[in-house]
Amino acid sequence: KIEQVWDKIYFTLEANNKIAVPKSFQSFYFFFRNFFTLGLLLLIPTVIMAYYYQHDYYLYILILTVLIMILSIFSAKWNRKKMVERMFWTYYALYGEKS
């Protein structure tokens, strides 16, 4: 049921060219989600190199990678939440009183 409501709101705003702000939050959401995926891909070789070579340099990179991944999780969630809020508020402001 919620998917139908979401589709209606999304396509109505898209058709009326009122979706620019929510789409910008969606773009940042995808950026941080992809940044997390990149961190996962970087994490695997970094763990292997830190284990085999045992240099402090690899340990620092490992810690930095994990911190960036954690920050990207929180940033992605925040942008996703803001995107949904903007979608509903924009729809309500434009069409809520008419419906």
Side-chain angles (χ1 to χ4, degrees):
K1 183 93 176 160
I2 190 69
E3 290 87 13
Q4 294 171 348
V5 173
W6 180 258
D7 288 343
K8 178 185 175 190
I9 291 172
Y10 189 89
F11 291 118
T12 302
L13 292 176
E14 179 97 23
N16 292 304
N17 206 18
K18 301 288 183 183
I19 199 154
V21 174
K23 271 196 169 182
S24 66
F25 282 108
Q26 185 179 29
S27 296
F28 280 113
Y29 164 73
F30 286 133
F31 170 75
F32 286 116
R33 190 180 71 175
N34 291 338
F35 206 67
F36 175 80
T37 305
L38 181 64
L40 281 178
L41 294 174
L42 182 63
L43 191 65
I44 296 167
T46 306
V47 168
I48 292 170
M49 287 192 291
Y51 178 75
Y52 284 114
Y53 296 116
Q54 297 179 354
H55 290 277
D56 289 341
Y57 174 74
Y58 295 115
L59 184 61
Y60 295 140
I61 291 176
L62 183 65
I63 292 169
L64 184 63
T65 302
V66 170
L67 287 175
I68 288 173
M69 288 173 61
I70 291 169
L71 289 175
S72 68
I73 289 170
F74 288 119
S75 298
K77 284 183 179 182
W78 184 85
N79 279 292
R80 179 72 175 174
K81 180 182 171 188
K82 287 296 179 185
M83 181 198 73
V84 171
E85 286 176 3
R86 294 295 165 109
M87 290 279 292
F88 282 112
W89 280 111
T90 304
Y91 183 80
Y92 177 75
L94 295 174
Y95 305 106
E97 297 175 5
K98 296 177 187 176
S99 299

